[in-house]
Amino acid sequence: MEFFERFAIPHPSPAIYASMVAIALTTIAVVVGLTYFKKWGYLWREWLTTVDHKKIGIMYMISALLMLFRGGADALMMRAQTAVPENTLLDAQHYNEIFTTHGVVMIIFMAMAFIIALMNFVIPLQIGARDVAFPRLNALSFWLYFMGAMLLNISFVIGGSPSSGWTSYFPLAGNELSPSVGTNYYMLALQISGLGTLITGINFIVTILKMRAPGMTLMKMPMFTWAGLITNVIIVFAFPVLTVALAMGTMDRLFATNFFTTTDGGMDMLWANLFWVWGHPEVYILILPAFGIYSEIIPTFARRNLYGYTTMVVSMVVISLLSFVVWVHHFFTMGQGALVNSIFSITTMAIAVPTGIKIFNWLFTMWKGKIQFTVPMLYSLGFIPIFTIGGVTGVMLGMASADYQYHNTMFLVAHFHLVIIPGVVFAMIAGLTYWWPKMFGFMLNERIGKWGFWFIAGGTVLAFFPMFISGLDGQARRMYTYSEGTGFGIWNMLSFVGAIGLAIGFALLVYNIYYSTRYASRDIGDDPWNARSLEWATHNPVPEYNFAITPQVNSSEAFWDAKKRGHKLFKAGYKDIHMPNNSGIPFIMSVFFFIFGFAFIFSMWITVIVSLIAILACMTYRSFEKDDGYHITAEELKKAESELRGAK
Amino acid sequence: MQIDKTKPLEYSTEQGRLNILGFWIFIGAEVMLFATLFASYFTLVDRTGSGPSGSEIFELTPVLIETLLLLTSSFTIGLGVHAMRLGRTKAMLTFFIITLVLGLAFLGVEIYEFVHYVHVGAGLQTSAFTSILLTTLGTHGLHVTFGLFWGTMIVMQVMKRGLTPATANKSFIFSLYWHFLDVVWIFIFSFIYLKGMM
């Protein structure tokens, strides 16, 4: 029995027991369902072992949506708890756990997964490639991310969730003040999924640099691909910093080292610095792909080509460089002195310049355009004003001396939600709606989509604008309750109403997927939006080989030129296409990573060693395996293509 | 698979070229990893708490031996790749095996060094300084250990399959990795040991 005691929850509550039952029932339902419908083989062959970038992208997207609802449930609980003064829905410990997992899940497992989902699906198509440079590593990336996400998500039923904030500052996150295994979960889950992200970064840089269609020079790449390239460069240079910080944090907690302790020379501020040296570039890892998506959608529905292509690229490069030199603005109040604060204050405000350029470029793109108010365009239009308000308040926070007033108040919470939600979430839903026909061969319902947009946009405004006021009035973030005399009650109640609006909006998104899957027309052709870039030059949904003939590119809008200016995309005839084989190794290896992480969290060293050996065995197997892939012959290709055209 | 005869064997296939570029980018990430470790080391180097400082525990002899072993191994793997370019499989294998033996010797001396540190009261838990010292050295040592396993597998594959575009590609990438570990060691030698002993 003693062995099992370590897995007990330190602060159990009826809600947690209920979710244990729910998790058990769901697992049983999935297993029984798969067995009953005889789908195990299908699942293994088509999904678990796939190396196809399109399927991996779809799996990322499903995982991201699941995580959105997990994180969203946390958010609703937080807003419900603070809706009225002195509420007793949650106690302090649970509130701490929930705001921690909300942050971690939303940033690492929802937003990151969503941008990687769209990069996976879209970028190889936009550059006219067959797949990414390393298809197997791509599968490994996904499964590592997925296992990391699952690891964090089981924490609340096994051993207890982390509760020291998504930033996990030491000494709060140290053993003395966070004695449960929760923070171990944080360290290991982020480490494992971070490894996957780093691999993605390398994979996509190589893909974009080396696998573009003939004629597509760097300055003829579609803007989303540009954003993807820059994002992945940031990933490669930012994530190793997190790797080191997490390793040090893990060692402090499990091996009693003295990196971030307050004794024997340890320096707690080192964690804060390392965390934000990764953490601030991370913000741009999230926002740049979103900028890329808007740069695809706005020209498509304004029926104008993108204004200021070159300045768009330059401003993204400048943002990526500045993103590495602003991290101190996350802790202006922690005693660096006036000189250091001034320097970081200036670099922070400087980011507003390239960002402003981009905003004006989008506005000029729409200027005198014939705007079609489709769902993706509505999100893009909603993004501009809300994001600008979020961004401008960021400049306010960036002024070091004024920051002493705002620091760690609800004002800050309002600021970063008002950049991340219109920046990332709007872009993801817009991108999802825009590329949905590319993925599944039918469109999402516009009417339900528009209702969803108004609930989400309205909910965002209502949930977060009141926080500016309560924050300026002095409401600190992460407070689980407050007294009636503070007068925060009304603002928090409004936020709660806004949060419900957001929840309805997301529910509508899910309903839309269900509704459109059942009722939407499958007869939509290959180019339902009258779009501009190369991904629309192949079929809907995309065949496994992407393009039967490698396209020839002459500009950043090659497909538009093909439609309007008689540019010939496909010149050559059918040739054999080389395809990679599926492999179970990435999945199996990631399962061992999961076991490794779990055992590490609970200090079960024998299991750690065994799983580590299993991981190395997988790598050895891979090293010795001979796998040259297979070919789709020209005849097969010809047949498949004529069938695809005949179906129309 | 298209083979471009005008290029060296390791660059002759499309996938080979992608692998090499991908590995260079991976080395970029590794540079960031070690840069973070070095930055943390410089931050914590004087925070010795109740434990010893660098100049009290560093010993010149094992460090010099380690340096010599690793620098030589970087030279021999260079010779190995040169032999590979000339198509001389046997010479290449010999140089690769010498490289791995030198790496193993390096690891042996480093383990001796670690035992020594623990012996004189500078364990992983002693102070912030010893924590970051042993972590930085340990991360490099772990890379060498991983390299030994990896290199052994590549030697086995070249023995079994001969020099093909695939095995040549792997060997070349392994040599990049090995040179990189050498570069890191030069930084460790200069900024941790020499600076610490002054």
Side-chain angles (χ1 to χ4, degrees), chain A residues 115-116 118-120 122-123 126-127 200-201 204-205 208 212 216 218-236 281-297 306 309-320 358 362 423 427-428 435:
Chain A
I115 61 152
I116 294 176
L118 291 176
M119 287 198 301
N120 249 298
V122 177
I123 286 180
Q126 277 198 334
I127 62 174
T200 300
F204 276 86
I205 295 177
I208 296 171
R212 297 190 308 276
M216 187 183 281
L218 282 176
M219 290 309 273
K220 285 178 186 163
M221 294 199 302
M223 201 46 68
F224 181 63
T225 302
W226 253 116
L229 177 63
I230 295 168
T231 303
N232 285 299
V233 171
I234 306 180
I235 286 178
V236 168
E282 165 69 15
V283 174
Y284 292 94
I285 292 170
L286 298 179
I287 205 77
L288 289 181
F291 286 172
I293 292 170
Y294 292 130
S295 302
E296 297 291 333
I297 289 172
L306 186 68
Y309 180 96
T310 316
T311 53
M312 282 295 202
V313 174
V314 172
S315 60
M316 279 198 288
V317 173
V318 172
I319 289 175
S320 74
K358 297 188 79 74
W362 289 313
M428 295 311 135
W435 283 303

Side-chain angles (χ1 to χ4, degrees), chain A residues 405-456:
Chain A
Q405 175 67 23
Y406 316 130
H407 185 76
N408 270 2
T409 64
M410 293 306 273
F411 188 89
L412 168 79
V413 177
H415 151 69
F416 71 72
H417 281 93
L418 286 173
V419 284
I420 291 184
I421 294 181
V424 184
V425 181
F426 282 22
M428 295 311 135
I429 303 174
L432 182 73
T433 316
Y434 182 63
W435 283 303
W436 188 272
K438 209 75 243 163
M439 297 180 187
F440 300 106
F442 61 90
M443 303 181 72
L444 289 175
N445 186 284
E446 280 283 304
R447 203 177 138 77
I448 305 173
K450 281 177 186 165
W451 275 101
F453 165 75
W454 288 110
F455 271 103
I456 288 174

